[in-house]
Amino acid sequence: DAKTTQPTSMDCAEGRAANLPCNHSTISGNEYVYWYRQIHSQGPQYIIHGLKNNETNEMASLIITEDRKSSTLILPHATLRDTAVYYCIVRVSGGSNYKLTFGKGTLLTVNP
Amino acid sequence: ETGVTQTPRHLVMGMTNKKSLKCEQHLGHNAMYWYKQSAKKPLELMFVYNFKEQTENNSVPSRFSPECPNSSHLFLHLHTLQPEDSALYLCASSPKSGRGVRDTQYFGPGTRLTVL
């Protein structure tokens, strides 16, 4: 699975958009980009995933660059409850390998 | 609520005790996972079960023994643990069909384990 690089931490003001970047320059054509987050002392929570098109759901938007070497997770109106560690994961979908490897992620702190 | 429940939420045990962690998923998924999260470390995958068959054991010591009696239940049996095994133990499940859908894992709240 391709390696990802994320900033260690970021801050965001409540009510503003939070833009979390992720670099995955070695991504291959059949690898998806997944985002999860983990609020302190809770289990990780799936947010969104995509292959090459931009994706949006009720939680966030995922913008993937045309060359697919980087992506940005956007929380349009961050709230204090969005404070969490955000993980960007790149991996092949399907097959017999179910392994999902979590790195260190980005600690997003939403400030009042 | 993610549809994945874990019990107990907190567990304190001595090094000579035997205990079990339980995970149950109500999502109709066919794959289930155990992860370990130690303080200030990334999540570590321990075991993977697919259709009740263990498909991955990530070099986990034998003092951790998983059991998957059916696709909805997963157990982690613990015996003669060490203090360094204290961690948050997370269970997850994932569905079986759809491109990209298979890898969307849904996590339980975890069991906070303390070994004295």
Side-chain angles (χ1 to χ4, degrees), chain A residues 32 34 36 38 41-44 46 49 87 91-95 97-100 102-104, chain B residues 31 33 35 37 42-43 45 48 50 56 58 90 94 99-100 102-105 107-109 112:
Chain A
Y32 286 73
Y34 287 81
Y36 285 77
Q38 187 174 22
S41 295
Q42 297 183 23
Y46 165 78
H49 75 282
Y87 298 98
R91 70 178 311 282
V92 176
S93 171
N97 180 10
Y98 292 86
K99 191 169 182 177
L100 197 64
F102 288 79
K104 295 184 179 180
Chain B
Y33 313 74
Y35 286 86
Q37 188 172 34
L43 271 75
L45 180 65
V48 181
N50 182 28
E56 184 153 346
N58 206 24
L90 291 155
S94 65
R99 293 179 65 94
R102 189 196 304 236
D103 300 314
T104 302
Q105 295 182 19
F107 286 80
R112 175 69 62 184

Side-chain angles (χ1 to χ4, degrees), chain B residues 14-88:
Chain B
M15 293 169 62
T16 58
N17 292 157
K18 289 184 180 181
K19 296 287 184 183
S20 296
L21 309 184
K22 179 182 176 182
C23 175
E24 183 174 359
Q25 57 99 356
H26 313 277
L27 301 169
H29 293 169
N30 68 302
M32 296 187 77
Y33 313 74
W34 279 118
Y35 286 86
K36 174 184 177 182
Q37 188 172 34
S38 304
K40 300 182 179 179
K41 287 186 179 180
L43 271 75
E44 303 170 55
L45 180 65
M46 299 175 73
F47 301 104
V48 181
Y49 276 81
N50 182 28
F51 289 108
K52 303 184 294 178
E53 298 295 324
Q54 187 180 130
T55 57
E56 184 153 346
N57 176 338
N58 206 24
S59 302
V60 180
S62 60
R63 57 186 184 270
F64 295 92
S65 174
E67 179 190 0
C68 189
N70 55 63
S71 58
S72 298
H73 294 85
L74 185 65
F75 295 89
L76 187 63
H77 303 298
L78 316 171
H79 63 97
T80 59
L81 294 192
Q82 305 297 314
E84 58 265 28
D85 295 321
S86 298
L88 181 66

